[in-house]
Amino acid sequence: MIYAASDLHGCSVDSFLGLLEQAGFSEKDFLYILGDVVDRGEHGAELLSWITQQSNVQLLLGNHEDMLLNCAFLFDEVTEENLEKLTQDQLFWLRNWMRNGAAPTIAGFRKLLAEDPELVEGILEYLREAPLYACLEVGGTEYVLVHSGIGNFRLRKRLKSYSRHDLLWERPTPDVRYYPDKTVIFGHTPTAFYGEEYRGREFRTDTWICIDAGAAMGESPMLLRLDDKKAFYGKAEIPWQPDLFKTE
């Protein structure tokens, strides 16, 4: 079986393992996580550490992991001298990341850094190599998995030709149509943004499915089994903090 999840935003490893157990996930199955493991909640660093150790789990890069990579200088040795050398670009990315819920992730990485610096470097290297999308066929249906949908979409345009911004920051409206013969699955936009009736569950159109059920908005994270498009819902953990979404 093939599964997809997205926008876990720092839920605990134990909670996510409970969701996988509920779905019957085993070592014979495969899981794609469509980005945004970190930020908002407290356990993003732990989740990333767990993901890097799984042979049947693949993380696709999300915009929050991309912001983390742009601020990886934070996990070098912190001295007054190198803080004074921060560039304008570094300060821009740090301010942007902090506005988007970075504080718990930074704290988690600092803790890991004190315990195991090599683990932190391994996580960063994993993120640097993480793909932006995946294409696969499950049960006769072709899927494109990506973090945010596809910005500036053109039917005959190759996925590798899209920019990082197109694949990490897009927010498609319900009238957007993608491929006639493939289903695009993504997160990034909490489904409540499409209407309160979709809060806490997936949102589907004829060409795409959004699976960000709103874990960062105090809702339950979800897991989608691609073989039969069945959704599973976990335990809500992250308190709703509306101010964090002002610059989403």
Side-chain angles (χ1 to χ4, degrees):
M1 300 288 187
I2 308 297
Y3 294 82
S6 190
D7 294 82
L8 300 174
H9 279 299
C11 75
S12 69
V13 175
D14 286 345
S15 177
F16 187 58
L17 289 177
L19 176 57
L20 293 177
E21 183 178 1
Q22 175 191 336
F25 184 81
S26 74
E27 61 183 14
K28 297 179 181 179
D29 301 318
F30 199 90
L31 169 65
Y32 291 90
I33 301 179
L34 313 186
D36 284 8
V37 167
V38 298
D39 301 342
R40 317 293 195 203
E42 298 179 3
H43 305 287
E46 297 168 32
L47 268 172
L48 280 177
S49 177
W50 176 82
I51 289 168
T52 62
Q53 300 172 52
Q54 309 308 308
S55 61
N56 61 339
V57 177
Q58 176 63 62
L59 175 70
L60 306 185
L61 201 71
N63 63 304
H64 283 259
E65 285 82 28
D66 199 43
M67 287 187 284
L68 186 160
L69 287 176
N70 280 305
C71 295
F73 58 85
L74 290 176
F75 309 121
D76 296 333
E77 183 182 2
V78 178
T79 65
E80 186 173 327
E81 180 181 0
N82 63 26
L83 284 175
E84 290 175 352
K85 292 180 180 179
L86 291 181
T87 67
Q88 289 300 310
D89 282 347
Q90 288 174 325
L91 288 170
F92 167 80
W93 278 110
L94 179 56
R95 285 193 295 266
N96 187 50
W97 192 28
M98 291 301 294
R99 286 196 300 265
N100 282 277
T105 304
I106 293 171
F109 265 86
R110 288 288 173 83
K111 181 180 178 182
L112 282 183
L113 197 61
E115 297 171 351
D116 191 344
E118 291 186 3
L119 175 59
V120 171
E121 184 51 42
I123 291 172
L124 294 175
E125 187 60 31
Y126 178 92
L127 292 179
R128 293 184 187 107
E129 296 177 357
L132 293 173
Y133 59 85
C135 301
L136 58 153
E137 182 177 338
V138 182
T141 300
E142 291 189 53
Y143 292 99
V144 175
L145 309 183
V146 65
H147 176 62
S148 72
I150 306 172
N152 298 303
F153 177 76
R154 296 204 306 272
L155 186 59
R156 300 189 183 281
K157 186 175 181 178
R158 294 183 177 182
L159 279 167
K160 65 181 181 180
S161 298
Y162 288 97
S163 70
R164 289 172 84 86
H165 193 275
D166 287 336
L167 303 178
L168 297 181
W169 290 92
E170 176 66 1
R171 291 205 187 280
T173 56
D175 60 323
V176 167
R177 298 192 77 254
Y178 292 129
Y179 306 97
D181 56 347
K182 302 174 186 178
T183 299
V184 180
I185 299 179
F186 57 86
H188 184 60
T189 301
T191 52
F193 288 16
Y194 294 115
E196 278 300 310
E197 65 269 34
Y198 303 110
R199 178 180 292 273
R201 65 185 185 89
E202 75 272 29
F203 178 79
R204 304 186 182 200
T205 75
D206 60 334
T207 66
W208 52 266
I209 305 172
C210 180
I211 61 170
D212 179 359
M217 300 175 67
E219 303 296 332
S220 302
M222 71 162 288
L223 188 67
L224 183 68
R225 188 165 59 203
L226 303 190
D227 304 75
D228 58 4
K229 295 188 177 68
K230 182 175 179 179
F232 301 86
Y233 296 92
K235 178 183 177 183
E237 287 190 323
I238 305 171
W240 169 226
Q241 303 172 63
D243 58 301
L244 291 178
F245 285 82
K246 289 180 180 178
T247 58
E248 181 74 6

